[in-house]
Amino acid sequence: MKLNIDGRLAVISGAAGGLGLATAKVLAEDGARLFLTDTSENELKEAADTLGDSVVGHYAADLTDDGEVATLAKHVAEQGGADILVHMAGITGAKGDPLEMSNDDWFACWNTNFMSAVRMTRALVPGMVEKGWGRVVFTVSENAVQPYPDEAVYNASKAALLSYTKALSLPYGPKGVLVNAVMPAFIESPMTDGMMEKRAKSLGVSKDEAIKSFLDEERPYLSLKRRGQADEVAAVAALLCSDRASFTNGSAWRADGGAVAAINT
């Protein structure tokens, strides 16, 4: 399916990571121009080299800093302004008993996972409104609707982001800027590799056995019984960025292998 985004400028945050890079590849294949941002300049350069001529710019930025977001927006404006924002920057945050999380634990996850989305949309969406066309896609998580007790700070930040997705879609959809979210779960990545290696060591089993036991014990509704791949999430995110998704606004699309127990309402 053609996405009809040839020449559109897509800003990808978290672009050096698995989901961000995979989504950038799909958008580039359909002719989008890419502007990449992440925290590491070296990793951004590697991502840009991988993506080739579709990359028109990249800028390493701390998205918890208003000034750095403003500078990023300036660089994007020099390329004609964003048509698409795919916001995939985020952290897992501290884990453990919710009552044992410190204020710093809560604020770190909130500032990175939620407020960075506010900053990026505040900086880029007005330009989309001027063009009369735009797409914003946030990466939320299964945790937004199915919280896990040892991931309370992450749960809260993603639930807030899901609410923000809907809130932002209401005034800006009628102005041509459609706002949606993709909700992945247990994707194969360096982060989940680390989780499973730690679990394997704790249980005295292989990594593959740790993954199987995690799926059986911690994710019983993940009916596909495996970790998802970054490109499987990217395909959903790219559709939401496209001209094809012209009647989709304020929605959250699960790419979770069935991990969320409830029906999608």
Side-chain angles (χ1 to χ4, degrees):
M1 180 186 293
K2 292 289 292 179
L3 300 180
N4 295 338
I5 55 171
D6 188 61
R8 298 286 191 186
L9 181 62
V11 177
I12 317 289
S13 70
L19 292 181
L21 184 58
T23 304
K25 287 178 180 177
V26 178
L27 297 179
E29 287 169 0
D30 233 74
R33 299 179 300 126
L34 305 176
F35 192 101
L36 313 179
T37 186
D38 211 309
T39 55
S40 168
E41 180 64 30
N42 288 337
E43 291 180 3
L44 273 177
K45 288 180 179 177
E46 290 179 8
D49 288 343
T50 298
L51 294 165
D53 292 341
S54 60
V55 178
V56 298
H58 57 83
Y59 178 70
D62 176 359
L63 302 185
T64 68
D65 184 288
D66 288 352
E68 292 197 26
V69 172
T71 301
L72 169 63
K74 181 180 178 180
H75 289 309
V76 171
E78 291 170 354
Q79 298 298 330
D83 299 294
I84 296 165
L85 169 62
V86 181
H87 186 65
M88 291 187 160
I91 60 173
T92 56
K95 295 184 178 183
D97 187 317
L99 298 183
E100 294 178 1
M101 297 296 99
S102 69
N103 285 351
D104 287 345
D105 291 335
W106 287 98
F107 288 135
C109 214
W110 178 260
N111 202 13
T112 301
N113 291 353
F114 179 73
M115 285 305 301
S116 67
V118 174
R119 292 184 185 93
M120 289 292 282
T121 49
R122 196 161 51 198
L124 299 179
V125 166
M128 298 180 191
V129 172
E130 289 181 5
K131 297 180 181 185
W133 193 99
R135 299 288 186 270
V136 176
V137 178
F138 296 122
T139 306
V140 184
S141 170
E142 58 167 325
N143 293 56
V145 296
Q146 182 163 279
Y148 297 101
D150 63 338
E151 300 177 6
V153 298
Y154 184 75
N155 300 337
S157 68
K158 291 298 186 177
L161 185 54
L162 182 58
S163 179
Y164 183 63
T165 300
K166 189 64 174 181
L168 192 65
S169 74
L170 296 174
Y172 287 98
K175 297 177 182 180
V177 182
L178 307 185
V179 185
N180 295 284
V182 62
M183 299 176 66
F186 201 40
I187 304 303
E188 185 172 347
S189 67
M191 180 187 75
T192 58
D193 280 340
M195 288 170 55
M196 292 303 103
E197 287 163 5
K198 183 177 180 180
R199 182 181 179 88
K201 184 176 180 180
S202 173
L203 297 177
V205 299
S206 70
K207 181 178 169 183
D208 286 343
E209 290 171 320
I211 292 171
K212 184 179 185 305
S213 68
F214 179 81
L215 288 167
D216 291 341
E217 298 168 16
E218 305 292 339
R219 299 294 187 271
Y221 293 100
L222 206 163
S223 53
L224 299 188
K225 296 300 180 183
R226 64 174 175 85
R227 288 192 292 177
Q229 300 299 307
D231 58 0
E232 293 176 308
V233 180
V236 178
L239 175 61
L240 295 174
C241 293
S242 75
D243 207 36
R244 297 289 188 179
S246 56
F247 199 59
T248 304
N249 190 42
S251 70
W253 287 41
R254 295 178 185 167
D256 66 0
V260 176
I263 61 174
N264 201 355
T265 58

Short mmCIF file of all heavy atoms in Angstrom, two decimals, residues 143-182:
data_model
loop_
_atom_site.label_atom_id
_atom_site.label_comp_id
_atom_site.label_asym_id
_atom_site.label_seq_id
_atom_site.Cartn_x
_atom_site.Cartn_y
_atom_site.Cartn_z
N ASN A 143 1.34 -0.70 28.84
CA ASN A 143 1.30 -0.28 30.25
C ASN A 143 0.32 0.86 30.49
O ASN A 143 -0.10 1.09 31.62
CB ASN A 143 2.69 0.16 30.72
CG ASN A 143 3.68 -0.97 30.77
OD1 ASN A 143 3.89 -1.65 29.77
ND2 ASN A 143 4.31 -1.18 31.91
N ALA A 144 -0.03 1.59 29.43
CA ALA A 144 -0.97 2.70 29.59
C ALA A 144 -2.35 2.22 30.01
O ALA A 144 -3.08 2.93 30.71
CB ALA A 144 -1.07 3.50 28.29
N VAL A 145 -2.72 1.02 29.58
CA VAL A 145 -4.06 0.50 29.88
C VAL A 145 -4.01 -0.79 30.70
O VAL A 145 -5.04 -1.24 31.21
CB VAL A 145 -4.85 0.24 28.58
CG1 VAL A 145 -5.09 1.55 27.85
CG2 VAL A 145 -4.14 -0.75 27.66
N GLN A 146 -2.82 -1.38 30.82
CA GLN A 146 -2.65 -2.59 31.61
C GLN A 146 -1.38 -2.43 32.45
O GLN A 146 -0.33 -2.92 32.10
CB GLN A 146 -2.54 -3.82 30.69
CG GLN A 146 -2.41 -5.13 31.41
CD GLN A 146 -2.71 -6.31 30.50
OE1 GLN A 146 -3.88 -6.64 30.27
NE2 GLN A 146 -1.70 -6.94 29.97
N PRO A 147 -1.48 -1.68 33.55
CA PRO A 147 -0.29 -1.37 34.34
C PRO A 147 0.24 -2.57 35.10
O PRO A 147 -0.53 -3.44 35.54
CB PRO A 147 -0.79 -0.28 35.30
CG PRO A 147 -2.26 -0.50 35.40
CD PRO A 147 -2.70 -1.02 34.07
N TYR A 148 1.56 -2.59 35.26
CA TYR A 148 2.21 -3.65 36.02
C TYR A 148 2.77 -3.05 37.30
O TYR A 148 3.31 -1.94 37.30
CB TYR A 148 3.32 -4.29 35.18
CG TYR A 148 2.76 -4.96 33.93
CD1 TYR A 148 2.82 -4.33 32.69
CD2 TYR A 148 2.12 -6.19 34.02
CE1 TYR A 148 2.27 -4.92 31.55
CE2 TYR A 148 1.57 -6.79 32.89
CZ TYR A 148 1.65 -6.15 31.66
OH TYR A 148 1.10 -6.74 30.55
N PRO A 149 2.65 -3.75 38.44
CA PRO A 149 2.94 -3.15 39.74
C PRO A 149 4.38 -2.70 39.94
O PRO A 149 4.63 -1.75 40.69
CB PRO A 149 2.57 -4.25 40.74
CG PRO A 149 2.58 -5.52 39.95
CD PRO A 149 2.16 -5.14 38.58
N ASP A 150 5.33 -3.35 39.28
CA ASP A 150 6.72 -2.96 39.47
C ASP A 150 7.19 -1.90 38.47
O ASP A 150 8.35 -1.53 38.44
CB ASP A 150 7.65 -4.18 39.38
CG ASP A 150 7.61 -4.85 38.02
OD1 ASP A 150 6.61 -4.67 37.29
OD2 ASP A 150 8.58 -5.57 37.67
N GLU A 151 6.26 -1.39 37.63
CA GLU A 151 6.60 -0.39 36.63
C GLU A 151 5.70 0.84 36.77
O GLU A 151 5.29 1.46 35.79
CB GLU A 151 6.47 -0.99 35.22
CG GLU A 151 7.39 -2.17 34.99
CD GLU A 151 7.20 -2.82 33.61
OE1 GLU A 151 6.43 -2.28 32.80
OE2 GLU A 151 7.82 -3.86 33.36
N ALA A 152 5.44 1.23 38.01
CA ALA A 152 4.43 2.27 38.28
C ALA A 152 4.78 3.60 37.64
O ALA A 152 3.90 4.29 37.11
CB ALA A 152 4.26 2.44 39.79
N VAL A 153 6.06 3.99 37.68
CA VAL A 153 6.41 5.31 37.13
C VAL A 153 6.25 5.31 35.61
O VAL A 153 5.83 6.32 35.01
CB VAL A 153 7.83 5.74 37.54
CG1 VAL A 153 7.94 5.88 39.04
CG2 VAL A 153 8.90 4.79 37.03
N TYR A 154 6.57 4.20 35.00
CA TYR A 154 6.41 4.06 33.55
C TYR A 154 4.92 4.01 33.18
O TYR A 154 4.47 4.68 32.24
CB TYR A 154 7.12 2.80 33.08
CG TYR A 154 7.12 2.56 31.59
CD1 TYR A 154 7.94 3.30 30.75
CD2 TYR A 154 6.32 1.57 31.02
CE1 TYR A 154 7.96 3.06 29.38
CE2 TYR A 154 6.32 1.33 29.66
CZ TYR A 154 7.15 2.08 28.84
OH TYR A 154 7.16 1.84 27.49
N ASN A 155 4.15 3.22 33.95
CA ASN A 155 2.70 3.13 33.70
C ASN A 155 2.07 4.52 33.67
O ASN A 155 1.28 4.84 32.77
CB ASN A 155 2.01 2.34 34.82
CG ASN A 155 2.51 0.92 34.98
OD1 ASN A 155 3.06 0.32 34.07
ND2 ASN A 155 2.32 0.37 36.17
N ALA A 156 2.39 5.31 34.68
CA ALA A 156 1.75 6.62 34.84
C ALA A 156 2.10 7.55 33.69
O ALA A 156 1.24 8.27 33.16
CB ALA A 156 2.16 7.24 36.17
N SER A 157 3.37 7.53 33.28
CA SER A 157 3.80 8.43 32.20
C SER A 157 3.13 8.05 30.89
O SER A 157 2.75 8.91 30.09
CB SER A 157 5.32 8.41 32.05
OG SER A 157 5.79 7.16 31.59
N LYS A 158 2.96 6.75 30.63
CA LYS A 158 2.37 6.32 29.38
C LYS A 158 0.84 6.49 29.38
O LYS A 158 0.25 6.78 28.34
CB LYS A 158 2.74 4.86 29.10
CG LYS A 158 4.22 4.66 28.77
CD LYS A 158 4.62 5.42 27.51
CE LYS A 158 6.04 5.13 27.08
NZ LYS A 158 6.42 5.80 25.82
N ALA A 159 0.21 6.32 30.54
CA ALA A 159 -1.21 6.58 30.63
C ALA A 159 -1.50 8.06 30.36
O ALA A 159 -2.47 8.42 29.67
CB ALA A 159 -1.75 6.18 32.00
N ALA A 160 -0.64 8.92 30.90
CA ALA A 160 -0.79 10.36 30.65
C ALA A 160 -0.61 10.67 29.17
O ALA A 160 -1.33 11.50 28.61
CB ALA A 160 0.21 11.14 31.49
N LEU A 161 0.35 10.03 28.54
CA LEU A 161 0.59 10.27 27.12
C LEU A 161 -0.59 9.81 26.27
O LEU A 161 -0.94 10.46 25.28
CB LEU A 161 1.88 9.57 26.68
CG LEU A 161 2.34 9.83 25.25
CD1 LEU A 161 2.48 11.32 24.96
CD2 LEU A 161 3.66 9.11 24.97
N LEU A 162 -1.21 8.71 26.66
CA LEU A 162 -2.39 8.25 25.94
C LEU A 162 -3.52 9.27 26.07
O LEU A 162 -4.21 9.58 25.09
CB LEU A 162 -2.83 6.88 26.49
CG LEU A 162 -4.04 6.24 25.81
CD1 LEU A 162 -3.82 6.05 24.32
CD2 LEU A 162 -4.38 4.91 26.48
N SER A 163 -3.71 9.81 27.27
CA SER A 163 -4.72 10.84 27.47
C SER A 163 -4.40 12.09 26.64
O SER A 163 -5.30 12.70 26.04
CB SER A 163 -4.81 11.20 28.95
OG SER A 163 -5.76 12.22 29.18
N TYR A 164 -3.12 12.45 26.60
CA TYR A 164 -2.70 13.61 25.82
C TYR A 164 -2.95 13.40 24.33
O TYR A 164 -3.32 14.33 23.61
CB TYR A 164 -1.22 13.88 26.08
CG TYR A 164 -0.68 15.11 25.39
CD1 TYR A 164 -1.17 16.38 25.69
CD2 TYR A 164 0.35 15.01 24.45
CE1 TYR A 164 -0.66 17.52 25.07
CE2 TYR A 164 0.86 16.13 23.82
CZ TYR A 164 0.35 17.38 24.14
OH TYR A 164 0.86 18.50 23.52
N THR A 165 -2.78 12.17 23.86
CA THR A 165 -3.06 11.85 22.46
C THR A 165 -4.49 12.24 22.11
O THR A 165 -4.76 12.90 21.09
CB THR A 165 -2.86 10.35 22.21
OG1 THR A 165 -1.50 9.98 22.50
CG2 THR A 165 -3.17 9.99 20.76
N LYS A 166 -5.41 11.83 22.96
CA LYS A 166 -6.82 12.13 22.70
C LYS A 166 -7.09 13.63 22.84
O LYS A 166 -7.79 14.22 21.99
CB LYS A 166 -7.71 11.35 23.68
CG LYS A 166 -9.20 11.44 23.37
CD LYS A 166 -9.51 10.78 22.02
CE LYS A 166 -11.01 10.74 21.76
NZ LYS A 166 -11.33 10.08 20.47
N ALA A 167 -6.55 14.23 23.88
CA ALA A 167 -6.80 15.65 24.11
C ALA A 167 -6.28 16.50 22.95
O ALA A 167 -6.96 17.44 22.50
CB ALA A 167 -6.14 16.09 25.42
N LEU A 168 -5.09 16.19 22.46
CA LEU A 168 -4.49 16.97 21.37
C LEU A 168 -5.24 16.77 20.06
O LEU A 168 -5.35 17.68 19.24
CB LEU A 168 -3.02 16.58 21.21
CG LEU A 168 -2.16 17.47 20.31
CD1 LEU A 168 -2.03 18.87 20.91
CD2 LEU A 168 -0.78 16.84 20.11
N SER A 169 -5.78 15.56 19.89
CA SER A 169 -6.48 15.26 18.63
C SER A 169 -7.76 16.08 18.47
O SER A 169 -8.17 16.36 17.34
CB SER A 169 -6.82 13.78 18.57
OG SER A 169 -7.90 13.44 19.44
N LEU A 170 -8.38 16.47 19.56
CA LEU A 170 -9.70 17.11 19.48
C LEU A 170 -9.65 18.49 18.84
O LEU A 170 -10.43 18.76 17.91
CB LEU A 170 -10.32 17.16 20.88
CG LEU A 170 -10.63 15.79 21.50
CD1 LEU A 170 -11.10 15.96 22.94
CD2 LEU A 170 -11.67 15.04 20.69
N PRO A 171 -8.74 19.39 19.26
CA PRO A 171 -8.71 20.69 18.60
C PRO A 171 -7.93 20.71 17.29
O PRO A 171 -8.18 21.57 16.43
CB PRO A 171 -8.04 21.60 19.64
CG PRO A 171 -7.18 20.69 20.44
CD PRO A 171 -7.90 19.37 20.47
N TYR A 172 -6.98 19.78 17.14
CA TYR A 172 -6.09 19.88 15.97
C TYR A 172 -6.48 18.98 14.81
O TYR A 172 -6.09 19.25 13.67
CB TYR A 172 -4.63 19.65 16.41
CG TYR A 172 -4.12 20.84 17.17
CD1 TYR A 172 -4.10 20.85 18.56
CD2 TYR A 172 -3.72 21.99 16.50
CE1 TYR A 172 -3.68 21.97 19.26
CE2 TYR A 172 -3.29 23.12 17.18
CZ TYR A 172 -3.28 23.10 18.56
OH TYR A 172 -2.88 24.22 19.26
N GLY A 173 -7.26 17.95 15.05
CA GLY A 173 -7.77 17.15 13.94
C GLY A 173 -8.54 17.98 12.93
O GLY A 173 -8.29 17.88 11.72
N PRO A 174 -9.47 18.83 13.39
CA PRO A 174 -10.21 19.67 12.44
C PRO A 174 -9.33 20.65 11.67
O PRO A 174 -9.75 21.18 10.64
CB PRO A 174 -11.19 20.42 13.35
CG PRO A 174 -11.36 19.54 14.54
CD PRO A 174 -10.01 18.93 14.75
N LYS A 175 -8.11 20.87 12.16
CA LYS A 175 -7.17 21.77 11.48
C LYS A 175 -6.24 21.01 10.54
O LYS A 175 -5.29 21.59 9.99
CB LYS A 175 -6.36 22.55 12.50
CG LYS A 175 -7.23 23.45 13.38
CD LYS A 175 -6.41 24.18 14.44
CE LYS A 175 -7.32 25.04 15.32
NZ LYS A 175 -6.56 25.76 16.37
N GLY A 176 -6.49 19.72 10.37
CA GLY A 176 -5.70 18.92 9.44
C GLY A 176 -4.57 18.13 10.06
O GLY A 176 -3.85 17.42 9.34
N VAL A 177 -4.38 18.24 11.37
CA VAL A 177 -3.29 17.53 12.04
C VAL A 177 -3.90 16.37 12.84
O VAL A 177 -4.55 16.59 13.87
CB VAL A 177 -2.51 18.46 12.98
CG1 VAL A 177 -1.36 17.70 13.64
CG2 VAL A 177 -1.98 19.67 12.21
N LEU A 178 -3.68 15.15 12.37
CA LEU A 178 -4.25 13.97 13.00
C LEU A 178 -3.27 13.39 14.00
O LEU A 178 -2.08 13.25 13.71
CB LEU A 178 -4.60 12.93 11.94
CG LEU A 178 -5.49 13.45 10.78
CD1 LEU A 178 -5.88 12.30 9.87
CD2 LEU A 178 -6.73 14.16 11.32
N VAL A 179 -3.77 13.08 15.19
CA VAL A 179 -2.92 12.66 16.30
C VAL A 179 -3.36 11.27 16.77
O VAL A 179 -4.53 11.07 17.14
CB VAL A 179 -3.02 13.65 17.47
CG1 VAL A 179 -2.05 13.26 18.59
CG2 VAL A 179 -2.76 15.08 17.00
N ASN A 180 -2.43 10.32 16.75
CA ASN A 180 -2.73 8.95 17.14
C ASN A 180 -1.55 8.35 17.89
O ASN A 180 -0.49 8.97 18.01
CB ASN A 180 -3.05 8.10 15.90
CG ASN A 180 -4.31 8.57 15.20
OD1 ASN A 180 -5.41 8.32 15.65
ND2 ASN A 180 -4.14 9.28 14.07
N ALA A 181 -1.75 7.14 18.39
CA ALA A 181 -0.69 6.46 19.13
C ALA A 181 -0.59 5.01 18.69
O ALA A 181 -1.59 4.40 18.28
CB ALA A 181 -0.98 6.51 20.63
N VAL A 182 0.61 4.47 18.78
CA VAL A 182 0.83 3.05 18.59
C VAL A 182 1.24 2.47 19.94
O VAL A 182 1.96 3.11 20.71
CB VAL A 182 1.90 2.78 17.50
CG1 VAL A 182 3.26 3.33 17.89
CG2 VAL A 182 2.00 1.28 17.20
#
